[in-house]
Amino acid sequence: MKKVLPGLLLGSLLLATTPNLNVYAAAPDAIGLTINNKIVHLNTMPVQQNGRVLVPLRAICEAIGATVEWDAAMQTATITRDRDKVQMTLDSTTAKKNDQAILLDIAPQLINDVTMIPVRALVEGLNLQAKWDETTQTVSIDTHPAIDHTLPPTPKPEPSLSIKEIAKNFDRVVMINIYDKKGELLGSGSGMVVTADGKILTNHHVLAEGTTAKVVFDDGTMFPATKVLLDDPDRDLALMQINVSNLQTVTFGNSDALEIGDNVVAIGSPLGMQNTLSAGLISGLHRKLSTKKEDTKNIEFLQTNAPYTFGSSGGALFDMHGDVIGVTSNAASYMGGELNFAIPSKDVTVFLQQPQTPMTFTEFTKYIADSKTHKPNPNPNPDDEDQNDMAAYDAADQVAETLTQNHPELTDPATGKKVTVRYVGFPSFEGPGQDIEVRLKDFNPYKANGEIDAQSMSDLLQQLTRWAHEAGAVDPLINVSVTFDAKTYNENILAKNQYYSPREDSYSVDLDMGWALLDDATGTITYQVDPDHNHTKQTAKLN
């Protein structure tokens, strides 16, 4: 077995003046360097620190034929060679390889005004080959792409657990109820216990819409979440704290060892049905998808045909050894049926190793509100495309805020009662304009005879479209979803997304009721009521 290089970190890097590259024999007491079997001497030679070899950024990149882009404000270097890319930040142990987060054991650093980076992170990030000779204290780099640059996976033993045995993890997977500032239940998601002292892992989007959260265990006990310890909106992960000890925890497996066709088991709380278990296969690896709120960013997911739906977000995807190899997520843009996705455990473990920044839920709510209002761009020198993206989000946010101010309530035609309306705006991903998500709580679109009140819903869709137009929306697409409670259902309603809450002795239905699209150029509203069952499109004039 060949010896591996001493491990080194990725990081943002200051670019030093390009040194001249010459070929000499390495000094006997120095760290030697060869590239493609040629001895190379740089004006700043490699150094060894805590068993890790650091090399000068600019000089080593020129020597191996890589290009470097330096972001002075972020103190980050982007190193590219062929199709591979690594990003390193000065004095940071967090880096990226082909836009996927990785964790380093030593950070890039400035030594005698020269930016030095870990050589192992560089060569592995660019898919090259390298080895370390302990006798001669020499690093040897081969710039020919590695045929297999990762260690072969440890052969997996035959599955030792049955699905019934994996179901015993019910006490480690929890339901998370989310509440608004009035204490009213907004919805539920899923999570898992990752430490015995009460740290709960879930999705960012599960917590982002509420002001408080409670964790419900399989035995029915419920504990309020006291703090948010970590949050990553891009990777859609969050870690929170409950004041409980001596909990049973999940264990994490290696998502990189998965193969297509491996059996998996999902546990979560879809539609509030706590600890629902489903089984399936790994049907895809390294799927690059965009999230709903970050359409320009491709994030890596596992793909599975294990069934789960809304409410399963933050739940656990187990391999057949009982280890968590993914966090189920509905943040990907393509959902439904047997096409589901999970955040790989390799990304989860990196997330959990980050320094914690505890926030109370009041602070977290303000942080979420500020991020929606300001939408800071991580690039301090945005190009025109970045500026356009920021302007598009700001415009959509402004429309939603205006709608909230002008039309916070509307009348339920079935009961005559006022119901609260929630508006969320996004820039359209298919062209110019805004998508407006409209959510109505305790709004029943059905008549007493069990039929949809199609006329009232048609009027509502047209009215919402006119309100959006008055609020400044451009070619707005209105999507309306409703949630309501009832105890009597006919066959049509039972076919919808519904569930029973034994604690409240109530049934709840959560469904999409229609959409409307305005063409500003012609003033035409095209809309559809109950699109899951009625495929007829109708039109109306704006004025």
Side-chain angles (χ1 to χ4, degrees):
M1 177 183 298
K2 68 181 183 182
K3 295 181 180 178
V4 298
L5 282 173
L8 299 173
L9 282 179
L10 294 164
S12 304
L13 311 167
L14 291 171
L15 295 183
T17 304
T18 303
N20 295 322
L21 180 64
N22 301 293
V23 178
Y24 300 104
D29 56 348
I31 299 297
L33 174 66
T34 71
I35 298 177
N36 296 334
N37 297 320
K38 292 183 178 180
I39 298 174
V40 174
H41 182 84
L42 310 176
N43 282 358
T44 301
M45 288 301 290
V47 297
Q48 193 169 21
Q49 189 176 97
N50 297 325
R52 308 294 188 258
V53 175
L54 301 172
V55 292
L57 168 67
R58 176 68 75 179
I60 192 66
C61 289
E62 288 192 351
I64 63 174
T67 60
V68 181
E69 294 182 7
W70 173 245
D71 186 329
M74 299 298 291
Q75 296 283 279
T76 299
T78 301
I79 305 167
T80 306
R81 189 178 188 275
D82 296 331
R83 297 182 179 180
D84 295 300
K85 177 176 68 175
V86 291
Q87 291 174 292
M88 305 185 189
T89 301
L90 200 64
D91 298 323
S92 173
T93 56
T94 301
K96 290 185 178 181
K97 173 182 176 180
N98 293 329
D99 295 325
Q100 297 300 308
I102 58 176
L103 192 64
L104 308 170
D105 54 3
I106 186 172
Q109 52 196 276
L110 201 62
I111 300 177
N112 296 327
D113 294 327
V114 176
T115 300
M116 305 292 285
I117 64 173
V119 68
R120 182 181 180 184
L122 176 70
V123 297
E124 290 184 351
L126 298 180
N127 193 19
L128 307 178
Q129 302 180 81
K131 62 181 180 179
W132 169 252
D133 190 317
E134 184 68 28
T135 303
T136 62
Q137 295 283 288
T138 299
V139 177
S140 299
I141 299 175
D142 186 343
T143 61
H144 300 94
I147 297 174
D148 182 10
H149 59 285
T150 59
L151 293 175
T154 303
K156 292 189 293 185
E158 290 298 317
S160 56
L161 299 179
S162 66
I163 293 177
K164 287 185 178 180
E165 289 172 318
I166 292 175
K168 294 178 181 179
N169 284 286
F170 276 174
D171 60 349
R172 296 162 170 82
V173 182
V174 298
M175 183 168 72
I176 300 174
N177 288 337
I178 304 300
Y179 302 87
D180 63 15
K181 60 184 178 181
K182 297 179 181 179
E184 295 184 0
L185 180 66
L186 294 176
S188 62
S190 303
M192 65 192 79
V193 183
V194 295
T195 67
D197 63 353
K199 292 180 176 60
I200 308 295
L201 175 71
T202 187
N203 284 145
H204 160 83
H205 75 266
V206 170
L207 302 183
E209 298 302 325
T211 58
T212 58
K214 293 182 179 180
V215 175
V216 186
F217 283 82
D218 189 50
D219 61 2
T221 55
M222 183 183 298
F223 302 92
T226 57
K227 292 181 180 180
V228 178
L229 304 175
L230 284 172
D231 182 65
D232 186 343
D234 290 339
R235 185 64 281 194
D236 193 31
L237 291 169
L239 183 70
M240 61 182 182
Q241 179 75 55
I242 59 175
N243 292 332
V244 186
S245 58
N246 299 319
L247 296 175
Q248 298 296 313
T249 66
V250 298
T251 57
F252 288 96
N254 181 9
S255 56
D256 281 342
L258 291 172
E259 298 176 358
I260 292 177
D262 282 350
N263 291 307
V264 290
V265 174
I267 299 179
S269 300
L271 303 176
M273 290 182 259
Q274 186 169 2
N275 279 355
T276 295
L277 182 146
S278 61
L281 305 172
I282 292 295
S283 50
L285 300 169
H286 311 298
R287 297 299 195 200
K288 296 290 188 70
L289 300 173
S290 58
T291 61
K292 291 180 180 179
K293 293 186 179 181
E294 292 287 352
D295 190 60
T296 59
K297 293 187 178 182
N298 283 331
I299 306 297
E300 184 173 299
F301 289 87
L302 299 173
Q303 180 182 322
T304 178
N305 66 353
Y308 48 84
T309 187
F310 300 103
S312 298
S313 294
L317 188 66
F318 293 91
D319 64 17
M320 299 311 292
H321 312 298
D323 295 327
V324 175
I325 44 79
V327 176
T328 57
S329 175
N330 283 344
S333 300
Y334 312 98
M335 284 290 153
E338 295 187 347
L339 186 62
N340 291 306
F341 299 92
I343 302 166
S345 60
K346 68 172 184 179
D347 289 353
V348 177
T349 53
V350 170
F351 168 76
L352 293 174
Q353 292 171 4
Q354 302 304 303
Q356 294 182 7
T357 55
M359 292 181 280
T360 65
F361 265 82
T362 300
E363 293 169 335
F364 181 69
T365 301
K366 185 178 184 301
Y367 155 74
I368 293 296
D370 289 345
S371 66
K372 289 180 178 179
T373 301
H374 301 298
K375 299 239 183 315
N377 191 332
N379 183 354
N381 300 304
D383 56 21
D384 291 342
E385 184 176 353
D386 293 324
Q387 295 279 20
N388 291 338
D389 287 344
M390 293 173 64
Y393 274 102
D394 288 342
D397 280 344
Q398 185 58 54
V399 170
E401 290 175 8
T402 302
L403 286 168
T404 301
Q405 293 172 0
N406 296 342
H407 308 285
E409 297 179 328
L410 55 79
T411 302
D412 184 341
T415 64
K417 295 181 179 180
K418 294 288 187 180
V419 298
T420 301
V421 188
R422 296 183 65 206
Y423 305 92
V424 181
F426 304 100
S428 171
F429 298 149
E430 285 80 30
Q434 290 90 34
D435 292 356
I436 311 298
E437 302 289 337
V438 180
R439 188 167 184 82
L440 310 177
K441 184 173 175 17
D442 297 327
F443 183 96
N444 189 342
Y446 289 90
K447 299 179 182 177
N449 63 5
E451 296 180 355
I452 289 179
D453 190 342
Q455 185 59 52
S456 294
M457 288 304 302
S458 297
D459 294 343
L460 176 62
L461 287 167
Q462 294 175 54
Q463 184 62 65
L464 288 168
T465 305
R466 293 186 178 99
W467 286 350
H469 177 72
E470 293 169 359
V474 177
D475 291 335
L477 172 63
I478 311 298
N479 289 293
V480 178
S481 62
V482 302
T483 178
F484 60 94
D485 300 333
K487 291 186 179 180
T488 305
Y489 293 87
N490 61 19
E491 292 294 328
N492 187 34
I493 302 179
L494 280 173
K496 308 281 187 180
N497 292 335
Q498 58 88 32
Y499 62 93
Y500 173 72
S501 171
R503 294 183 181 276
E504 300 178 358
D505 188 27
S506 64
Y507 290 88
S508 294
V509 175
D510 189 348
L511 63 154
D512 295 330
M513 280 312 303
W515 57 266
L517 177 64
L518 173 63
D519 184 343
D520 283 343
T522 63
T524 300
I525 302 173
T526 303
Y527 64 94
Q528 194 172 2
V529 175
D530 191 21
D532 291 339
H533 298 84
N534 183 354
H535 297 168
T536 302
K537 297 178 183 177
Q538 303 179 66
T539 59
K541 297 303 290 184
L542 178 63
N543 299 311

